[in-house]
Amino acid sequence: MARLRARDYEQMLDLAVAILEDDAADSAWHLITGHLLKAMGCDSATFSVVNVPEGTGVIEGWAPERLSPHVRDLVPRRMRQHHPLLSYIAGGESAPVTVSEICDTWRQSQWYQEARRDFGVTQQLGLPVAGGPDRISLVLMGRDGAFRPHDLAFAARVQPLLVRAGNHVQALRRLSATAPALTADHPSGHGLTPRELTVLGLMAEGLTALGIARRLTISPHTVNRHLEKIYRKLGTNNRVSTLLLAQQAGLVPAT
């Protein structure tokens, strides 16, 4: 694998900080694709979620903004065209890969012609975030030119960060669905950050610190740091009193 430079690690850190500071699940992937576009020197970046059995999917984030007119129906169209990255990830593969590596006829395909026309790219690099036979999530980077071994090495190193971001966004959306009006600035939010609200919501579901860590793909130590801050902000010192107060304040659903 190609060696990374100091600047690469600085860009990874910038991305990690941006994710940590973002307060809205709905804007997270716009933020992430924007940072990846800059870090990898690409011409396009999208994040897609695909429901394979239903034949549906959506792009939740993209960069640059000029791609907006082209992304609305892009995922269902790529499914009808049998884009090779979809079968690659659905088959259990998770390593970042260029489309030309898994498709010899890439330049003769309809999706190549459309990518070149609409996005101005001649090569694509797929970065799986989650995959399986039923659900696929991936970042797709596009460039007018080839991806080098260094690009694949950078993508492989940043991939775990994207997986963690995806897990957090899913958990935060579930919590928002149970308390849709609640935000960190809400009077009853007690100043909890979105990540602290997510941890609190998972604790209310009965998960232990280890279970929360596995769900969010973070370390138990990080979970415990979040719990310490939650206890301090709510003025509690144990799980039972914290959940009782959180239910009374509407932070989590009452059982």
Side-chain angles (χ1 to χ4, degrees):
M1 182 176 290
R3 293 174 63 90
L4 298 182
R5 303 180 293 264
R7 177 56 183 161
D8 296 321
Y9 290 101
E10 291 175 2
Q11 291 170 329
M12 289 182 202
L13 180 60
D14 289 343
L15 177 58
V17 170
I19 293 172
L20 289 171
E21 291 180 345
D22 185 52
D23 288 339
D26 290 339
S27 65
W29 287 110
H30 280 292
L31 177 74
I32 292 169
T33 51
H35 274 265
L36 286 174
L37 185 82
K38 180 180 178 181
M40 295 190 64
C42 293
D43 299 299
S44 68
T46 61
F47 173 74
S48 306
V49 177
V50 181
N51 187 314
V52 178
E54 295 181 2
T56 60
V58 64
I59 292 182
E60 295 189 358
W62 61 87
E65 187 59 32
R66 64 174 176 78
L67 301 183
S68 298
H70 306 292
V71 301
R72 181 177 179 182
D73 301 318
L74 184 62
V75 174
R77 190 163 71 249
R78 290 294 183 262
M79 295 183 73
R80 293 192 299 269
Q81 296 168 344
H82 303 290
H83 195 288
L85 276 172
L86 299 178
S87 57
Y88 173 82
I89 302 172
E93 299 291 343
S94 60
V97 66
T98 60
V99 176
S100 59
E101 288 183 75
I102 57 176
C103 180
D104 294 334
T105 59
W106 154 245
R107 289 184 177 273
Q108 289 76 49
S109 66
Q110 185 176 359
W111 56 80
Y112 170 82
Q113 299 300 327
E114 292 182 1
R116 186 173 183 179
R117 180 195 67 203
D118 299 334
F119 287 39
V121 305
T122 59
Q123 183 56 277
Q124 292 180 322
L125 186 156
L127 205 173
V129 176
D134 295 335
R135 187 177 185 276
I136 293 171
S137 300
L138 77 151
V139 170
L140 186 62
M141 313 294 297
R143 177 183 289 169
D144 184 14
F147 286 96
R148 304 176 299 276
H150 171 267
D151 298 312
L152 287 164
F154 181 88
R157 293 302 295 269
V158 80
Q159 187 179 34
L161 176 60
L162 300 182
V163 171
R164 287 168 170 79
N167 290 340
H168 174 75
V169 169
Q170 288 183 29
L172 187 57
R173 285 176 177 171
R174 271 205 329 277
L175 175 62
S176 298
T178 61
L182 186 61
T183 66
D185 296 328
H186 194 280
S188 62
H190 292 266
L192 297 178
T193 68
R195 279 151 191 82
E196 290 163 357
L197 287 168
T198 300
V199 170
L200 181 61
L202 292 175
M203 185 170 68
E205 293 178 9
L207 272 66
T208 64
L210 181 59
I212 295 171
R214 288 173 176 168
R215 179 75 62 85
L216 298 179
T217 327
I218 58 179
S219 72
H221 178 67
T222 300
V223 173
N224 286 326
R225 286 208 310 270
H226 286 311
L227 290 174
E228 290 173 1
K229 293 177 181 178
I230 292 169
Y231 291 167
R232 184 172 68 251
K233 291 179 180 180
L234 295 184
T236 57
N237 57 14
N238 60 72
R239 184 186 185 100
V240 174
S241 61
T242 298
L243 289 178
L244 180 60
L245 179 58
Q247 290 169 359
Q248 293 171 347
L251 299 173
V252 297
T255 55

